[in-house]
């Protein structure tokens, strides 16, 4: 039970000019501020610290910088390794698991223990890891760290527990998979090659056992040397010395011949009967030149040689091998089937590929049915069963990064009808030509949990596209794609001048989005200082897009002119980062002075046919003014019940009536204060400030860490730093106020001064004049509130937060009748009401006096282009909209939660008394804050630049959680991190992947139930009957006993200094505790049976020993009896 004081309506409180951090509003959470004659009001806060816990749930998208590929042909699951040490394991839709090596070393190679529920990974730090996949979250059982040699290749024969490991020195070691201990059996490079050879053969690039005889191991060295090693005799059967370097080797299933791919683009075929030279050498893509020589070709990095029952011709599939003279050709995968050669061009370089076959046995006809191709930025599966080789439709969301993601939004508990509607519209635009067969990676099991609710993720992209994703449960499926660039005319080649200074490459890049799921109204803010408003319709329409243009600039020059500051060398840009003005773009041919009253992009001014879905209705663009480009939009809010749209930037605020297509308000930030300006500042015309905005869309591969402790701008060293963090803490003169700092959103978009660290200026190197004039609007929200202390009833208001920590409340008068709303003007009247916080204001939230969240009013969706129904005329249906003219008297008021980058406060309205205040951080600053619903209650969730995630109770602002989740936060995460209801959040963890997390303890506990099972008990298919003749003439491979050959008894122990065994965290006991569900029960039963079998075996051995001992005793007793039979008693 939490009590706090509520101030009576109309009672006086601290002046708006007085800082909120007064002694009555201390930093301790839960300390009510002193107020005259308060009365008690009880609010029961149900959220406690035990309700919160941070854990990752699922990762979506394409694995960033992939390096390796593996497939289990029995379980039908696939693994992808990455350069950062990540592993993605994929099965049927819903079976998608991400694990991470703690070392972060790149994954070089992976091998499944086929149908055993385990995976071996070889990493760049020369460590082997054994992963258990028998639980929903994979765990490492064993690790083996090589100390003196670098791992280059691994091979695990089917149904074998001995792993062959090739190294950079040319040696081959053997590891026991069960114990993860090196065998004493080693194939040294100098024993493998002939003694007369004077050069080192190079690293091991291939290892494979002969399909004909498992006792023969084929070793391929990089230099072109191939050795067939007899494991039993410990000698080489034959050696091949080829002139060209080898990249890969592939066997024919009968084991009589094999194929090699080489660095000169050739394929060589070798017969086991005659290894003196290859019986065939081909250059698949090399043409014969006039002099008879083949033209030089690129290396063939990998080749697969597979046979099929239905055809006498084998499949030869390889990557690379194109001739060098074909510059600009895309990477290719070539499929050779008999005389037919098919070249498949890929969009990105090929990292690896695998041919999927019907059988796991290498000595059987392979029957290939698909090729999995892992590209640098895509994942493709080709159907081999059809002659035109179509690709399968990928069920995983691998195209999140189709265009770089620039912003995200996450909506939980959406209206249930919105997902089917978006899917039905988006399905009409899906690509065709896919294979009709079932997706071949179909392993694992997954079921939708019982406690699911509709979730939607929206991503904005650099090319101006918007993607709606169904994120229900743990899946991600694209519903609908919207292209905002279609609203604008395509710029001509020589007509890029006016937008060149503002945007170099991506003029349509999405900067932020605002969506009302109930009314289905959607707003997009673009980087070219434009806002597009969309309405949803199930019908196509022919419409003309309305365009509104705004001059959102300060133009009053009665006190200060630009020349007063531009010639002062120590003055920097208002953002406090870079003192040097940026030169104009070279693509710009128009002088800056000529550019006036023109937008950056030209909206289509003709009738446009719009398909069903989201249809553009209104475009608002900021204009160039006197050669100065428009400043980027920093915040946006729309309200469907009011029919209003508000936007702000560093110059001021604009309010647009999108029903009447008119501009209601367009004022600078200082003009909004009027006489209530706490600093009594004077307006001046801003200096020309051109921005380079490529940073928004530049999701660099190199993550830029945030320097969290820097407190000064790079340009501030010669100048005296500010002595006060809070400009409102004392009665300092205006000239000593610290520099204004913009909100995180504004900072991220102000890339003119992009640095190598994510820190903002906290110095005083900026002139006080610049500092005071440039006050950015950082957040906006429409709400039913009180614009004045004297108000007795709530009215529609716009809450405005600025970069100086000031909050303005602007009341509005909106007609209630639908006809009047279309015709009568909306009145917007700034009142000068000001509240104060430390740091840029980030978020508003509103609670009633019972502590429940007050939802914003909205309009119920109606299809404006649907056919008219005379019986049911379409009227606006508003929810939670209670204008003062019709609302009953209500004296309860409400609570306003305001969060800035350093502080959170709870105000009581209409008296504007500060009830609670909490200083969130001193050493860092908040990047993202949201008022969210969790466990049938409300809290304030914050994400800081130092990687901390904090949860505060509402309204008392008690800290409930403070976890250092991301020690180093980069720009990408800062742009895309967002919270949502239900205890969930997401961010872009790499340029291609979305990471979802939960901060709800209940969801963390139930996470195992929502994830898919990676391992399903399946009987291993039986090997085909080879027949008497094949078994007799094909060698006696079945008698090969690796245990006898590689075990400690015969091979001895390996050197301890060669490799170090590291026990994993996921041992048998951990696996027992982690396993859950049916598969877990089966795994536990199997473990119990194994243990029981082991005990029974030990008992049987002891019984046999006892029987042997008894027989020996009986024999000796009988011999003694015979010996003593005829002796007299005195002879003893």
């Amino acid at each position: 039970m939490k009590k706090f004081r509520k101030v009576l309506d109309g009672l006086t409180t601290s002046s708006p000019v007085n800082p909120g951090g007064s002694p009555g509003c201390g930093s301790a959470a839960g300390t009510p501020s002193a107020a005259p004659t308060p009365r008690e009001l009880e609010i029961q806060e149900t959220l406690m610290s035990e309700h919160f816990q941070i854990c990752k749930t699922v990762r979506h998208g394409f694995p960033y910088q992939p390096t390796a590929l593996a497939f289990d042909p029995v379980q039908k699951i696939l693994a992808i390794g990455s350069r950062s040490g990540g592993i993605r394991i994929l099965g049927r839709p819903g079976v998608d698991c991400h694990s991470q090596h703690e070392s972060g070393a790149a994954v070089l190679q992976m091998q499944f223990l086929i149908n055993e529920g385990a995976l071996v990974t070889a990493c760049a730090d020369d460590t082997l890891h054994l992963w258990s996949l028998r639980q929903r979250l994979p765990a490492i059982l064993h690790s083996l760290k090589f100390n003196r040699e670098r791992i280059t290749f691994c091979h695990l024969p089917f149904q074998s527990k001995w792993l062959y490991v090739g190294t950079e020195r040319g040696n081959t070691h053997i590891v026991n998979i069960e114990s993860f201990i090196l065998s004493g059996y080693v194939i040294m490079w100098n024993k493998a090659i002939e003694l007369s050879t004077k050069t080192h053969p190079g690293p091991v690039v291939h290892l494979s056992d002969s399909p004909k005889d498992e006792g023969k191991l084929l070793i391929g060295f990089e230099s072109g040397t191939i050795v067939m090693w007899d494991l039993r005799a410990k000698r080489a059967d034959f050696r091949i010395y080829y002139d060209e370097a080898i990249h890969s080797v592939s066997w024919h299933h009968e084991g009589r011949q094999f194929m090699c791919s080489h660095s000169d683009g050739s394929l060589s075929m070798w017969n086991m009967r005659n290894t003196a030279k290859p019986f065939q050498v081909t250059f698949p893509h090399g043409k014969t030149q006039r002099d008879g020589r083949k033209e030089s070709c690129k290396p063939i990095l990998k080749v697969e040689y597979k046979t099929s029952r239905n055809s006498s011709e084998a499949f030869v599939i390889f990557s690379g091998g194109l001739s060098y003279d074909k510059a600009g050709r895309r990477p290719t995968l070539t499929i050779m089937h008999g005389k037919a050669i098919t070249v498949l061009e890929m969009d990105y370089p090929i990292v690896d590929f695998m041919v999927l076959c019907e059988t796991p046995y290498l000595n059987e006809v392979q029957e290939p049915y698909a090729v999995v191709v892992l590209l640098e930025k895509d994942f493709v599966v080709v159907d081999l069963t059809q002659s035109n080789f179509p690709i399968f439709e990928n069920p995983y969301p691998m195209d999140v990064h189709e265009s770089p993601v620039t912003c995200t939004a996450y909506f939980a508990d959406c209206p249930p009808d919105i997902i089917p509607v978006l899917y039905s519209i988006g399905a009409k635009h899906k690509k065709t030509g896919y294979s009709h067969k079932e997706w071949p990676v179909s392993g694992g099991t997954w079921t939708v949990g019982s406690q699911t609710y509709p979730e939607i993720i929206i991503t904005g992209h650099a090319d101006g596209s918007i993607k709606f994703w169904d994120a229900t449960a743990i899946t991600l499926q694209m519903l609908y794609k919207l292209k905002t660039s279609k609203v604008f005319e395509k710029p001509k080649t020589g007509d890029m001048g006016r937008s060149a200074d503002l945007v170099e490459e991506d003029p349509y890049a999405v900067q932020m989005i605002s969506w009302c799921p109930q009314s289905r109204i959607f707003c997009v803010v673009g980087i070219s200082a434009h806002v597009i408003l969309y309405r949803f319709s199930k019908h196509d329409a022919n419409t003309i897009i309305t365009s509104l243009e705004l001059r959102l600039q300060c133009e009053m020059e009665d006190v200060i002119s630009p020349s007063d500051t531009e010639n002062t060398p120590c003055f920097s840009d208002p953002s406090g980062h870079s003192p040097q003005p940026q030169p104009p773009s070279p693509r710009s041919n128009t002088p800056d002075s000529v550019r006036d009253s023109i937008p950056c992009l030209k909206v289509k001014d003709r009738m446009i046919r719009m398909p069903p879905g989201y249809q553009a209705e209104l475009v608002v663009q900021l204009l160039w003014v006197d050669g100065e480009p428009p400043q980027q939009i920093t915040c946006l809010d729309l309200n469907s019940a009011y029919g209003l749209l508000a936007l702000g930037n560093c110059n001021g605020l604009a309010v647009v009536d999108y029903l009447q297509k008119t501009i209601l308000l367009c004022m600078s930030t200082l003009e909004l204060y009027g006489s209530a300006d706490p600093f009594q500042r004077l307006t001046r015309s801003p200096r020309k400030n051109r921005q380079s905005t490529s940073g928004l869309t530049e999701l660099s591969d190199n993550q830029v860490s945030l320097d969290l402790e820097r407190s000064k701008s790079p340009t501030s060293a010669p100048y005296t730093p500010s002595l006060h963090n809070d400009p409102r803490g004392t009665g300092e003169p205006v000239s000593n106020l610290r520099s204004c700092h913009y909100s995180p959103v504004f900072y991220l978009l102000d890339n003119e001064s992009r640095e190598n660290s994510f820190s903002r200026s906290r110095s005083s190197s900026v002139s006080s004049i610049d500092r005071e004039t440039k006050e950015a609007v950082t957040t906006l929200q429409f709400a039913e509130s009180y614009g004045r202390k004297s108000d007795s009833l709530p009215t529609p208001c716009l809450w405005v937060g600025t970069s100086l920590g000031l909050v303005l409340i602007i009341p509005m008068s909106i007609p209630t009748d639908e006809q009047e709303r279309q015709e009568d003007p909306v009145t917007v009247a700034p009142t000068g009401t000001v509240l104060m916080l430390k740091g840029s204001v980030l978020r508003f939230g509103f609670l009633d006096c019972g502590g429940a969240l007050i939802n914003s009013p909205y309009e119920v969706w109606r299809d404006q282009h649907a056919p008219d129904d005379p019986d049911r005329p379409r009227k606006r249906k508003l929810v939670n909209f209670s204008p003062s003219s019709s609302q009953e008297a209500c004296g309860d008021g409400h609570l306003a939660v305001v969060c800035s980058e350093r502080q959170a406060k709870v105000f009581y309205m209409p008296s504007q008394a500060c009830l609670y205040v909490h200083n969130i951080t001193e050493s860092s600053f908040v990047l993202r804050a949201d008022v969210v619903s969790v466990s049938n209650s409300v809290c304030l969730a914050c994400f800081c630049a130092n990687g901390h995630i904090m949860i505060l109770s509402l309204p008392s602002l008690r800290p409930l959680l403070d976890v250092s989740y991301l020690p180093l936060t980069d720009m990408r995460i800062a742009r895309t991190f967002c919270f949502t209801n239900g205890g969930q959040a997401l961010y872009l963890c790499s340029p291609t992947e979305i990471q979802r997390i939960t901060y709800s303890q209940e969801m963390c506990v139930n996470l195992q139930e929502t994830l898919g099972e990676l391992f399903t008990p399946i009987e291993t298919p039986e090997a085909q009957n080879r027949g008497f003749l094949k078994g007799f003439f094909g060698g006696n491979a079945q008698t090969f006993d690796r245990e006898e050959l590689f075990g400690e008894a015969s091979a001895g122990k390996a050197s301890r200094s060669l490799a170090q065994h590291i026990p994993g965290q996921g041992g048998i006991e951990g696996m027992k505790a982690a396993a859950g569900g049916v598969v877990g029960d089966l795994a536990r039963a199997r473990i119990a049976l194994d243990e029981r079998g082991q005990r029974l075996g030990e008992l049987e051995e002891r019984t046999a020993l006892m029987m042997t001992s008894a027989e020996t005793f009986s024999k000796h007793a009988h011999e003694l009896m015979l010996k003593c039979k005829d002796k007299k008693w005195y002879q003893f």
Side-chain angles (χ1 to χ4, degrees):
M1 182 72 69
K2 192 73 185 174
K3 297 181 178 180
F4 70 92
R5 300 183 183 279
K6 171 194 163 192
V7 183
L8 287 170
D9 293 351
L11 293 179
T12 59
T13 184
S14 60
S15 168
V17 181
N18 188 39
S22 61
C25 292
S27 62
T31 307
S33 59
T37 61
R39 69 179 182 184
E40 291 286 329
L41 180 69
E42 295 183 356
I43 291 184
Q44 184 175 2
E45 291 187 0
T46 58
L47 291 179
M48 301 296 172
S49 58
E50 53 265 24
H51 288 110
F52 298 95
Q53 180 183 346
I54 298 289
C55 71
K56 296 179 180 179
T57 54
V58 65
R59 183 172 291 198
H60 303 297
F62 181 77
Y64 183 55
Q65 293 181 330
T67 54
L69 185 66
F71 183 73
D72 187 326
V74 179
Q75 288 289 320
K76 294 191 182 300
I77 58 174
L78 182 138
I80 300 174
S82 70
R83 188 176 299 175
S84 60
I87 301 174
R88 283 284 288 283
I89 301 174
L90 303 170
R92 67 176 66 248
V95 180
D96 186 344
C97 179
H98 173 266
S99 297
Q100 178 71 35
H101 291 93
E102 291 185 2
S103 65
V107 179
L108 299 179
Q109 194 178 354
M110 298 184 294
Q111 292 265 306
F112 275 103
L113 277 66
I114 296 175
N115 204 28
E116 292 293 330
L119 176 72
V120 175
T121 58
C123 295
D125 60 352
D126 306 307
T127 305
L128 297 173
H129 303 275
L130 176 64
W131 292 81
S132 170
L133 309 181
R134 289 177 176 264
Q135 59 265 35
R136 300 186 187 221
L137 291 174
I140 293 179
L141 300 177
H142 300 281
S143 297
L144 188 66
K145 169 73 173 176
F146 281 74
N147 297 322
R148 297 184 304 191
E149 298 197 50
R150 307 296 306 271
I151 298 173
T152 56
F153 196 87
C154 297
H155 170 62
L156 180 65
F158 179 44
Q159 294 181 326
S160 168
K161 67 175 185 178
W162 298 95
L163 174 73
Y164 302 112
V165 181
T167 68
E168 193 175 36
R169 291 186 180 180
N171 303 324
T172 301
H173 301 274
I174 302 171
V175 178
N176 187 307
I177 288 297
E178 293 178 348
S179 62
F180 238 57
I181 296 176
L182 271 178
S183 167
Y185 193 114
V186 183
I187 306 172
M188 304 299 291
W189 68 271
N190 54 353
K191 298 290 182 66
I193 65 173
E194 289 180 328
L195 295 177
S196 60
T197 306
K198 297 180 180 180
T199 58
H200 190 279
V204 175
V205 295
H206 177 81
L207 292 168
S208 63
D209 47 343
S210 168
K212 188 176 179 181
D213 185 358
E214 293 179 345
K216 305 291 180 66
L217 183 68
L218 190 71
I219 307 174
F221 297 94
E222 188 180 58
S223 62
T225 302
I226 300 173
V227 176
M228 177 65 85
W229 184 262
D230 189 330
L231 294 167
R232 301 183 193 88
K234 299 182 181 180
R235 61 180 177 79
D237 269 7
F238 64 80
R239 299 177 177 92
I240 296 173
Y241 300 97
Y242 196 66
D243 296 336
E244 292 295 333
I246 293 176
H247 286 283
S248 70
V249 180
S250 184
W251 280 96
H252 188 279
H253 80 275
E254 294 179 349
R256 297 174 183 173
Q257 58 190 29
F258 60 88
M259 179 180 292
C260 301
S261 69
H262 300 281
S263 58
D264 63 347
S266 66
L267 296 173
S268 62
M269 293 280 289
W270 300 83
N271 197 304
M272 300 292 290
R273 294 180 179 178
N274 181 13
T275 57
K277 64 177 182 178
F279 73 87
Q280 183 181 356
V281 177
T282 58
F283 289 79
H285 295 298
K287 296 179 182 179
T288 305
Q289 298 175 341
R290 293 181 179 179
D291 57 1
R293 293 186 303 171
K294 292 284 186 179
E295 62 181 343
S296 59
C297 295
K298 299 176 182 177
I300 296 179
L301 301 178
K302 185 175 182 179
V303 65
E304 294 256 17
Y305 186 24
K306 302 297 179 183
T307 52
S308 176
R309 285 194 188 90
N310 300 329
S311 174
S312 58
E313 301 290 347
F315 279 94
V316 177
I317 303 171
F318 61 88
S319 61
L322 291 180
S323 60
Y324 278 105
D325 63 345
K326 295 179 180 177
R329 282 283 297 272
R330 294 192 291 180
T332 60
L333 182 79
T334 304
I335 302 174
M336 298 172 60
H337 190 209
K339 295 182 178 180
I341 300 179
T342 304
V343 179
L344 304 179
E345 289 192 340
M346 303 294 168
D347 292 333
Y348 305 100
I350 297 174
V351 175
D352 196 2
F353 73 89
M354 291 189 69
V355 179
L356 309 188
C357 301
E358 296 287 354
T359 175
Y361 297 94
L362 296 179
N363 58 358
E364 296 179 359
V365 179
Q366 297 297 288
E367 289 293 338
Y369 60 90
V371 183
V372 176
V373 188
L374 179 63
L375 309 177
E376 280 190 0
K377 295 184 179 181
D378 203 356
F379 175 67
V380 177
V381 181
V382 181
D383 187 355
L384 290 179
T385 61
Q386 300 182 44
S387 58
N388 59 339
F389 303 127
I391 65 171
F392 289 88
E393 184 177 6
N394 198 327
Y396 315 119
M398 294 291 188
D399 56 347
V400 173
H401 63 288
E402 185 179 15
S403 174
V405 178
T406 54
C407 69
T408 60
Y410 194 3
F411 299 87
D413 205 7
C414 299
D417 60 334
I418 190 70
I419 290 179
V421 167
L422 287 172
Y423 181 80
S424 63
I425 297 295
K428 299 176 182 177
H429 304 285
K430 280 195 172 183
K431 296 179 181 178
T432 57
Y434 293 112
S435 172
H436 300 295
K437 294 203 170 184
E438 183 183 354
W439 178 252
V441 187
S442 56
T445 56
W446 179 75
T447 55
V448 180
S450 56
Q451 298 179 346
T452 59
Y453 45 83
E455 301 174 69
I456 287 181
I457 293 172
I458 304 177
T459 55
H461 300 264
D463 63 354
S465 61
I466 304 284
K467 291 181 180 179
F468 290 77
W469 305 85
D470 177 8
T472 304
I474 61 165
T475 60
L476 193 71
Q477 181 182 12
M478 195 171 81
L479 297 171
Y480 176 72
K481 183 177 179 179
L482 174 68
K483 295 182 179 179
T484 62
S485 58
K486 291 186 176 181
V487 172
F488 303 100
E489 300 282 2
K490 290 184 179 180
K492 299 178 182 178
T493 306
D495 193 31
M496 288 297 294
R498 60 181 180 177
S499 62
D501 279 2
L502 189 63
V503 181
E504 290 294 333
E505 295 179 357
D506 300 299
Y508 311 113
V510 178
Q511 186 173 311
M512 65 184 76
I513 52 183
S514 180
W515 186 44
C516 177
Q518 291 80 12
S519 64
R520 304 184 188 175
I521 293 180
F522 186 61
C523 266
V524 179
V525 176
I527 202 167
S528 298
H530 63 267
V531 179
I532 310 173
L533 184 138
Y534 291 88
R535 285 185 183 270
F536 187 84
S537 176
K538 295 181 180 179
H539 307 273
D540 56 4
N542 295 312
T543 57
I544 297 178
I545 302 172
T546 304
S547 178
L548 295 178
E549 298 178 344
L550 289 171
R551 292 172 63 94
L552 195 55
Q553 303 278 17
C554 307
E555 297 181 14
M556 300 170 60
E557 300 185 2
D558 50 349
V559 178
I560 301 165
S561 65
S563 60
D564 294 334
T565 59
E566 285 181 349
N567 296 326
T568 308
C570 66
F571 290 166
S572 77
D573 175 85
S575 60
H577 292 150
S578 175
Q580 292 87 11
Q582 182 176 333
S585 167
R587 296 194 305 180
S588 174
N589 299 321
T590 310
D592 285 349
S593 58
V594 178
R595 301 185 192 178
D596 185 55
S597 301
I598 58 172
C600 296
L601 300 171
K602 179 175 173 53
V603 180
K604 292 180 179 178
D605 55 2
R606 60 183 183 277
M607 184 74 70
I608 302 173
R609 183 190 174 279
M610 298 185 182
Y614 273 103
Q615 301 168 349
E617 181 178 291
L618 176 68
V619 178
V620 181
Q621 290 182 286
L622 304 189
L623 302 176
W624 285 70
V625 177
D626 296 330
E628 179 181 350
Q631 300 294 323
Q632 293 169 15
I633 297 168
T634 56
C635 56
L636 172 84
D637 192 37
L638 69 90
N639 188 284
S640 57
Y642 301 161
L644 300 179
L645 171 71
L647 58 95
N649 66 1
C650 67
N651 287 329
L653 168 72
V655 180
V656 176
D657 183 342
Y658 66 78
L659 294 179
Q660 298 185 18
K661 310 293 192 300
T662 57
I663 299 171
L664 302 178
L665 181 73
C666 183
M667 300 176 68
S668 69
T669 316
L670 301 186
E671 292 171 333
L672 293 174
Y673 294 106
S675 60
D677 183 5
F679 307 127
Q680 298 299 312
R681 291 164 292 183
L682 298 174
T683 311
R684 71 168 191 89
S685 176
R687 215 174 56 246
K688 294 178 183 178
N689 175 28
R690 300 177 186 86
Q691 300 178 357
S692 170
T693 60
S694 60
L696 174 68
T697 61
E698 184 182 298
L699 295 183
S700 170
D701 289 353
N702 299 320
Q703 296 184 347
V704 183
S705 63
L706 307 186
D707 185 358
L708 305 174
E709 302 298 326
R710 295 184 61 180
S711 61
K712 292 196 284 185
S713 165
T715 61
S716 63
Y719 313 113
T720 306
S722 171
L723 300 177
H724 300 281
N725 285 333
D726 186 0
R728 301 167 294 281
T730 59
E732 294 271 353
V734 171
S735 60
N736 288 337
L737 295 178
R738 78 180 173 120
S739 72
C740 115
H741 49 275
Y742 300 104
S743 73
V745 174
F746 180 76
Y747 171 79
L748 292 169
L749 302 175
D750 180 17
N751 291 286
E752 176 184 359
S753 52
R754 205 153 41 90
E755 305 172 32
N756 289 331
S757 64
F758 182 48
S759 61
R760 282 173 298 166
S761 173
R762 296 291 189 273
S763 72
S764 62
S765 64
V766 184
S767 72
S768 61
I769 299 173
D770 276 347
R771 195 166 53 232
E772 296 152 23
T773 306
K774 283 283 188 179
E775 179 180 9
V777 177
T778 55
T779 185
L780 296 164
Q781 185 162 342
F782 290 101
E784 297 280 307
S785 187
Y786 301 86
R788 305 170 184 82
K789 295 182 182 180
S790 59
D791 288 350
S792 59
L793 297 175
T795 59
C797 292
L798 174 62
W799 284 63
V800 182
T802 74
S803 57
L804 286 184
L806 303 180
V807 178
L808 296 90
I809 308 171
I810 303 175
M812 298 171 294
S813 175
I814 301 176
T816 57
D817 181 74
E818 181 171 0
Q819 187 66 28
E820 293 178 354
R821 178 64 185 86
Q822 298 290 339
E823 299 175 356
D824 294 350
V826 174
T827 305
V828 182
T831 60
T833 301
V834 178
L835 308 174
M836 289 186 167
L837 287 87
K838 293 180 182 178
S840 301
V841 181
L842 301 180
R843 188 68 60 196
F844 298 120
F846 302 96
L847 310 177
D848 61 21
C849 291
L853 185 66
I854 300 176
N855 295 313
S856 297
Y858 64 87
E859 176 189 359
V860 178
W861 174 73
R862 57 196 178 107
D863 196 337
Q864 291 190 324
H865 298 301
D868 292 332
D869 186 352
D871 298 331
R872 297 179 62 185
R874 292 196 301 271
K875 291 186 177 180
R876 296 185 74 212
K877 182 180 178 182
L878 308 182
V879 180
N880 297 334
F881 181 39
S882 304
S884 58
S885 59
S886 60
Q887 185 182 14
E888 298 178 1
C890 175
D892 283 346
H894 68 78
L895 306 176
V897 181
V898 186
C899 183
S900 73
E901 62 179 6
R902 290 190 179 275
Q903 195 177 53
K905 287 187 178 183
V906 177
F907 294 95
Y908 175 70
M909 304 300 290
S911 66
Q912 301 175 14
C914 177
L915 300 179
Y916 287 94
V917 60
H918 177 70
N919 291 331
I920 300 173
T921 177
E922 293 294 340
S923 61
S924 183
F925 52 92
V926 178
L927 286 170
R928 176 81 184 205
D930 289 289
V931 178
V932 291
S933 299
V934 181
S935 302
N936 299 318
S937 191
V938 186
C939 62
L940 177 64
C942 302
F943 175 62
C944 295
N946 58 8
H948 280 247
I949 293 178
M950 302 181 184
I951 307 293
L952 304 177
S953 69
L954 289 178
S956 63
L957 298 177
R958 286 180 300 115
L960 299 175
L961 179 76
D962 186 353
V963 174
S964 179
Y965 175 69
L966 292 169
L968 289 176
T969 305
D970 57 62
M971 299 282 283
R972 183 185 308 106
I973 296 175
R975 287 194 188 104
T976 56
F977 197 101
C978 55
F979 296 97
T980 190
N981 296 328
Q984 297 196 76
L986 67 80
Y987 59 93
L988 206 68
C989 58
S990 75
T992 62
E993 295 169 287
I994 294 175
Q995 178 68 59
R996 289 164 69 178
I997 65 172
T998 180
Y999 48 94
S1000 165
Q1001 195 269 345
E1002 180 183 3
M1003 186 170 287
C1004 289
V1005 171
N1006 298 327
L1007 180 60
Q1008 291 275 349
E1009 298 179 4
T1010 61
L1011 298 176
E1013 296 274 7
L1014 299 174
F1015 178 76
T1016 308
I1018 301 174
E1019 287 291 333
T1020 302
E1022 294 184 1
Q1024 294 178 1
N1025 188 0
R1026 302 182 68 196
F1028 173 76
L1029 292 177
K1030 280 192 176 181
F1032 185 78
F1033 293 106
N1036 194 13
Q1038 305 301 322
T1039 62
F1040 178 61
D1041 188 356
R1042 293 186 178 91
E1043 180 68 33
E1044 181 181 347
L1045 196 59
F1046 304 144
E1048 186 176 329
S1050 59
K1053 291 184 179 181
S1055 172
R1056 290 188 177 182
S1057 62
L1058 183 60
Q1060 176 187 0
H1061 176 258
I1062 306 169
Q1065 300 297 322
I1068 296 296
E1069 294 300 321
M1071 189 172 73
K1072 288 180 182 178
V1078 177
V1079 173
D1081 295 338
L1082 288 172
R1084 285 192 291 270
R1086 181 172 179 175
I1087 293 169
L1089 285 173
D1090 291 343
E1091 293 173 350
R1092 183 170 179 265
Q1094 185 177 356
R1095 289 195 296 269
L1096 287 173
E1098 292 173 355
L1099 179 61
E1100 186 178 353
E1101 290 176 1
R1102 287 198 299 269
T1103 304
L1105 288 173
M1106 289 175 66
M1107 289 179 64
T1108 304
S1109 177
E1111 289 177 0
T1112 305
F1113 179 77
S1114 174
K1115 181 180 178 181
H1116 287 311
H1118 184 69
E1119 291 175 351
L1120 183 63
M1121 184 268 293
L1122 293 176
K1123 183 178 181 180
C1124 301
K1125 180 179 180 182
D1126 297 329
K1127 287 188 178 183
K1128 303 297 182 179
W1129 63 269
Y1130 54 83
Q1131 292 178 322
F1132 286 101

